[in-house]
Amino acid sequence: MTDDLGRREQKKLATRRALADAALRLCVEKGFDQVTVEQITHEAGVSLRTFFNYFSGKEDAVVAGDAATAEALVAAFARRPTGEPVLTALHAAITEVLPAHIDRTQANQRRALRRIPALLPHQLAAFAAYEQQLAEAVAGRMNTDTDTDPYPATLAAAVLACLRVAVQRWLDASSSADRPSLAKSVDAMLTLLAEGFDTR
């Protein structure tokens, strides 16, 4: 029974990712306004009904790739040893997740699509949800409550901001020769955070 449940969950995740990848790819190729949900489902090889089991519209599908990264980060954080300091555990979790979930081509595509006004509310809602998920994971590890203790939410927001800055710097490098690895960029940002930005 457990194996069956595990396989079903993996199939659901694969379907969700296929739809998100198809939505992103088509919107980049054709332009956001020119893409329909029907085209996305055809590209992903699923039915319209299946699409709406996962997303309310194409806007949510386009921003869903970041959700998969956030979910993987929370899961990796939960697996870290219980005695490990919170920021150290988050740093290790990000390092684990990056290779499989941050693709340079897709990251550039997502950044281009973020300039579309119709997507802004969906992006803001998604980012808020990611921060909340991570804050709750931090609170659980610390045996505290996000309603009464501001530390988990503050740390989650700061860590995700560091990750966004690291990805942006990685994407903005003019050439591969000038481009630091994403892992090194993340290390630099999180080191600044750990030091409290008081070294200058």
Side-chain angles (χ1 to χ4, degrees):
M1 179 65 75
T2 301
D3 288 344
D4 289 342
L5 286 173
R7 282 193 289 269
R8 281 200 292 271
E9 284 304 312
Q10 288 177 356
K11 185 176 180 180
K12 287 179 181 178
L13 288 173
T15 300
R16 181 182 177 88
R17 182 156 192 170
L19 285 165
D21 288 349
L24 179 63
R25 184 167 57 252
L26 287 172
C27 287
V28 169
E29 291 174 359
K30 299 175 179 293
F32 177 77
D33 291 334
Q34 306 306 314
V35 174
T36 65
V37 171
E38 288 81 1
Q39 289 171 327
I40 294 170
T41 58
H42 182 268
E43 181 80 3
V46 302
S47 67
L48 273 175
R49 181 177 179 179
T50 297
F51 177 91
F52 287 111
N53 284 337
Y54 292 91
F55 304 111
S56 62
K58 67 178 181 179
E59 296 86 356
D60 289 331
V62 169
V63 302
D66 289 330
T69 303
E71 290 165 4
L73 172 57
V74 170
F77 176 61
R79 292 192 296 269
R80 298 302 304 172
T82 54
E84 200 169 40
V86 174
L87 187 54
T88 301
L90 282 169
H91 193 160
I94 291 171
T95 301
E96 175 187 334
V97 165
L98 284 182
H101 288 270
I102 305 291
D103 172 83
R104 184 174 176 80
T105 299
Q106 287 195 343
N108 263 319
Q109 291 172 341
R110 290 191 189 110
R111 183 165 67 167
L113 289 175
R114 283 178 185 140
R115 301 188 182 100
I116 298 171
L119 284 176
L120 183 58
H122 300 271
Q123 293 160 9
L124 293 176
F127 289 148
Y130 309 153
E131 284 188 8
Q132 183 62 29
Q133 288 176 34
L134 189 55
E136 289 174 356
V138 170
R141 188 182 185 90
M142 297 175 62
N143 294 316
T144 188
D145 189 332
T146 56
D147 291 334
T148 57
D149 186 349
Y151 183 91
T154 303
L155 181 62
V159 166
L160 291 179
C162 286
L163 181 55
R164 284 195 292 271
V165 170
V167 171
Q168 288 166 5
R169 289 173 62 84
W170 179 57
L171 294 176
D172 286 341
S174 58
S175 70
S176 57
D178 297 330
R179 186 185 309 135
S181 72
L182 181 54
K184 286 184 178 179
S185 292
V186 170
D187 286 345
M189 294 298 103
L190 292 180
T191 297
L192 281 174
L193 178 61
E195 292 173 347
F197 289 90
D198 60 358
T199 58
R200 295 186 181 181

